[in-house]
Amino acid sequence: MFIVHVQVQVKPEFVEAFRQATIANAQQSVKEPGIARFDLLQPADAPAHFVLVEVYRTAEARAQHRETAHYQTWRDTVAEMMAEPRTSASYANIFPGDEGW
């Protein structure tokens, strides 16, 4: 598994629009065979901050995801909504084992 946590700080006036655009992207993303999970999180105490938790079956699946129309639409739609460039960190799965996904 190849796991990515993406941190996004959104301009306050775009919180709901970002949320809706990202839900639309996530709904299509989970249909990709290379994606095991695609979560959107929003801290209760920081409504303009979002975390995307993306779990890919392989590192190549992430590259394939970035070629999809729904990802490219999301990327272009939310670009101006971000208060700062998004950041990401990649992780290897430890527990539960990959078979648990």
Side-chain angles (χ1 to χ4, degrees), residues 4-70:
V4 180
H5 288 190
V6 179
Q7 305 284 329
V8 183
Q9 187 66 35
V10 177
K11 296 173 186 172
E13 65 270 24
F14 291 115
V15 167
E16 188 56 30
F18 178 86
R19 188 176 184 273
Q20 292 306 315
T22 306
I23 289 170
N25 178 53
Q27 288 171 330
Q28 294 305 308
S29 296
V30 295
K31 296 176 183 178
E32 296 174 45
I35 294 183
R37 224 180 141 108
F38 200 102
D39 299 344
L40 173 61
L41 308 173
Q42 183 181 29
D45 62 347
H49 185 81
F50 292 86
V51 179
L52 285 71
V53 179
E54 306 170 7
V55 181
Y56 298 94
R57 298 189 189 283
T58 64
E60 294 78 28
R62 184 179 192 206
Q64 292 168 347
H65 168 67
R66 290 181 165 189
E67 296 299 319
T68 63
H70 58 267

Side-chain angles (χ1 to χ4, degrees), residues 82-101:
M82 294 184 196
E84 58 194 48
R86 65 186 184 271
T87 62
S88 66
S90 301
Y91 301 89
N93 185 50
I94 305 295
F95 182 86
D98 289 356
E99 67 281 352
W101 293 93

